[in-house]
Amino acid sequence: MADRAVADRPVSFKRDLSEWRILLVAWRLLVLQGADPVVGAGMAEHSTYRAHPWRRVEHTLGSGRRLFYQDAESLRREVARLERAHKRIRGTTSDGRSYDARDAATRAWVLLTLFECVVEMRRRGGDPYDAGQLEEAYAEFKEAVAAFGLPEGELPATAKDLPAYFARYAREKLEFTDAARYLMGDLLREAPRPRRLWFLGDAGWRVVRLLVARVIHDLTVADLPPAVRERFGLAATRRGALLSFVLHRGAGALVRLLPDRLRYRSAEEERPPRRYRPHRDTRGPRLDRFFREVLDQTGDGWITVHDLRAMAHNVCWQLELDEAGEARVHGAFEGWWEQLRAVMDADGDGKVSREEFVAATLAGCDRDEAYLEQGLLPALRAVFTAADTDGSGFLEFDEYRAVFGGPRVHPAELSHGFRQLDADGDGRITREEFLDGFTEFFTARAGSTSGTQLLGRA
């Protein structure tokens, strides 16, 4: 009876997207998207996926929930927020090609890979859409993404046209970009330990991530569309094919036995980890970790303007600012970069290395009055003003939580961060308390729960 009830349930792309087994095709999705040259270029220069992969995944999943699981107003706000973010993701690659995240063909590809991965998840799990169900799911998908205003004809008219679209796009557009290679290879072997796996310790995580990296690599290669594997020069192994069959069929059989409350991911944010483990650090090794985990947001080994832009983006993302508010925050962080470069870029190459950062910090250059007044402090004031939504001149706890909260932030950690900034303990954070606390944090003199959560925790 239960199987019949499931079989009789109307098709819903949104519901299928929320199944937990979508995680089996999540890495495949990232590789397909990163193989688009525009996406790959944007990831290389603007994304924090190397340094903070789990945070990027959270932002991606959060955006997906707003696009497909929420009401029309939430969808409108999310599309507007993506528009504001994407207009800043543009530039020129090292080989002279220009790129712009607002390119219509690229947007269509990114959206369609999401639909295609759901279709593939069901097919490999042993419960594929039939022809009618596929068209129903595609119609639901197209209705949701209509808010992006893609040009007429950019999306295939029907679901039956998708295989030809994917094969053509793979042949004509896709490249084995640096981003795709990194996703397929080194990222998982280098990824920092997720905070939920604290019990493994650093040594345990190093062992586990090697196994996980191998499994995901073999699974992803086996699951990629044949045209994409051919384009990349990859070959699925028997081991990978067997792994794919066992995992997908096993997950497909399991989820069909589960009640909906266990089968589907809630549209609500994930609950924070149950155990709170305060972050402790020392002055010595802290500088290296601060450079790597906070300032080098893009994970390329340097501090550049793109790292400061990534920080500004994270602030704006948390607060869902309007266009004018985002412009003020980004402008302040651009000014901070210019001052940081002037103070720390000893060799004048337009970027700051770890060695330059450590040397300048130990020499006290980051406490230089001009550096603070013309760079760091205006950026911090912009964050405070954006967070102070009622214009009271104070951050109440709810305003603080809007900036520093999130699915990975334990309530105890959130409260601890608030108390760190609330120096006089009166239950609200003044502008001066905010500036003093974060000046200490960004001059690498003191740890800060708030600082690491907002801009640095992996």
Side-chain angles (χ1 to χ4, degrees), residues 255-296:
V255 297
R256 289 192 288 275
L257 298 175
L258 296 175
D260 285 359
R261 64 184 176 82
L262 297 178
R263 180 173 180 174
Y264 299 106
R265 177 192 297 271
S266 170
E268 300 297 322
E269 294 287 346
E270 296 180 26
R271 288 177 295 178
R274 293 182 180 179
R275 182 167 178 178
Y276 169 49
R277 298 175 66 82
H279 181 70
R280 294 183 175 87
D281 211 341
T282 58
R283 171 67 174 148
R286 173 171 158 71
L287 285 180
D288 281 345
R289 286 201 295 272
F290 187 82
F291 178 90
R292 183 178 66 251
E293 297 175 5
V294 178
L295 295 178
D296 182 15

Side-chain angles (χ1 to χ4, degrees), residues 28-93:
R28 175 186 187 275
L29 171 68
L30 295 176
V31 171
L32 287 174
Q33 294 180 352
D36 181 284
V38 174
V39 177
M43 291 175 70
E45 287 203 325
H46 301 272
S47 177
T48 63
Y49 80 105
R50 288 177 180 259
H52 306 291
W54 314 125
R55 192 177 70 191
R56 283 305 332 145
V57 169
E58 284 173 1
H59 283 188
T60 300
L61 291 177
S63 182
R65 280 193 288 272
R66 293 185 183 94
L67 289 176
F68 293 104
Y69 302 159
Q70 302 298 321
D71 56 34
E73 178 58 22
S74 296
L75 172 62
R76 184 198 64 77
R77 290 201 310 269
E78 184 61 19
V79 170
R81 178 162 64 169
L82 290 171
E83 290 282 353
R84 293 193 299 272
H86 287 165
K87 75 177 183 180
R88 294 186 173 89
I89 302 177
R90 63 184 187 273
T92 304
T93 62

Side-chain angles (χ1 to χ4, degrees), residues 51 73 159 174 180 221 273 388 424:
E73 178 58 22
L174 295 191
V221 172
D388 181 20
D424 61 9

Side-chain angles (χ1 to χ4, degrees), residues 171-183:
R171 287 194 312 271
E172 298 177 2
K173 294 285 188 70
L174 295 191
E175 300 174 3
F176 206 5
T177 62
D178 289 342
R181 290 179 188 276
Y182 191 68
L183 286 166

Side-chain angles (χ1 to χ4, degrees), residues 97-386:
R97 291 185 293 176
S98 61
Y99 66 91
D100 190 323
R102 295 171 296 178
D103 175 70
T106 297
R107 283 191 163 188
W109 170 254
V110 168
L111 292 168
L112 285 167
T113 55
L114 191 61
F115 179 81
E116 189 269 350
C117 278
V118 172
V119 174
E120 189 70 4
M121 174 194 77
R122 288 197 49 153
R123 185 184 74 82
R124 290 183 175 273
D127 57 337
Y129 293 128
D130 62 31
Q133 291 173 330
L134 183 62
E135 294 300 340
E136 287 180 44
Y138 189 56
E140 182 185 10
F141 165 80
K142 289 181 69 176
E143 182 181 3
V145 302
F148 283 93
L150 293 171
E152 185 72 24
E154 202 63 61
L155 296 176
T158 67
K160 69 179 181 181
D161 299 321
L162 284 173
Y165 167 90
F166 265 76
R168 176 183 58 80
Y169 204 94
R171 287 194 312 271
E172 298 177 2
K173 294 285 188 70
L174 295 191
E175 300 174 3
F176 206 5
T177 62
D178 289 342
R181 290 179 188 276
Y182 191 68
L183 286 166
M184 291 287 292
D186 293 335
L187 177 56
L188 283 168
R189 291 194 290 268
E190 299 173 355
R193 171 169 46 89
R195 299 181 64 209
R196 290 178 184 273
L197 300 183
W198 57 266
F199 54 87
L200 290 175
D202 290 338
W205 170 242
R206 283 194 292 269
V207 174
V208 168
R209 71 181 173 186
L210 291 177
L211 175 62
V212 171
R214 189 65 196 177
V215 168
I216 291 182
H217 174 274
D218 290 350
L219 176 67
T220 302
V221 172
D223 287 356
L224 285 173
V228 176
R229 283 203 303 268
E230 180 180 353
R231 178 72 167 162
F232 291 178
L234 300 173
T237 63
R238 290 184 178 179
R239 179 179 65 187
L242 178 61
L243 177 69
S244 174
F245 180 84
V246 170
L247 289 178
H248 283 290
R249 287 302 178 97
L254 176 61
V255 297
R256 289 192 288 275
L257 298 175
L258 296 175
D260 285 359
R261 64 184 176 82
L262 297 178
R263 180 173 180 174
Y264 299 106
R265 177 192 297 271
S266 170
E268 300 297 322
E269 294 287 346
E270 296 180 26
R271 288 177 295 178
R274 293 182 180 179
R275 182 167 178 178
Y276 169 49
R277 298 175 66 82
H279 181 70
R280 294 183 175 87
D281 211 341
T282 58
R283 171 67 174 148
R286 173 171 158 71
L287 285 180
D288 281 345
R289 286 201 295 272
F290 187 82
F291 178 90
R292 183 178 66 251
E293 297 175 5
V294 178
L295 295 178
D296 182 15
Q297 291 280 299
T298 58
D300 61 0
W302 307 88
I303 307 171
T304 69
V305 66
H306 297 301
D307 297 299
L308 277 295
R309 288 173 180 168
M311 290 185 191
H313 170 77
N314 200 54
V315 173
C316 297
W317 187 271
Q318 295 288 96
L319 291 172
E320 299 189 42
L321 300 177
D322 60 20
E323 188 163 2
E326 285 198 359
R328 285 191 293 271
V329 171
H330 274 274
F333 274 78
E334 295 269 354
W336 181 14
W337 157 248
E338 291 300 327
Q339 196 60 24
L340 189 152
R341 180 177 59 83
V343 170
M344 296 187 178
D345 181 18
D347 59 9
D349 63 353
K351 52 190 178 181
V352 177
S353 68
R354 181 187 63 82
E355 292 77 15
E356 287 174 326
F357 166 74
V358 171
T361 302
L362 291 176
C365 291
D366 59 337
R367 290 294 185 110
D368 179 78
E369 184 176 349
Y371 169 78
L372 294 176
E373 289 297 333
Q374 298 176 32
L376 175 60
L377 289 178
L380 295 179
R381 292 186 188 108
V383 174
F384 183 90
T385 300

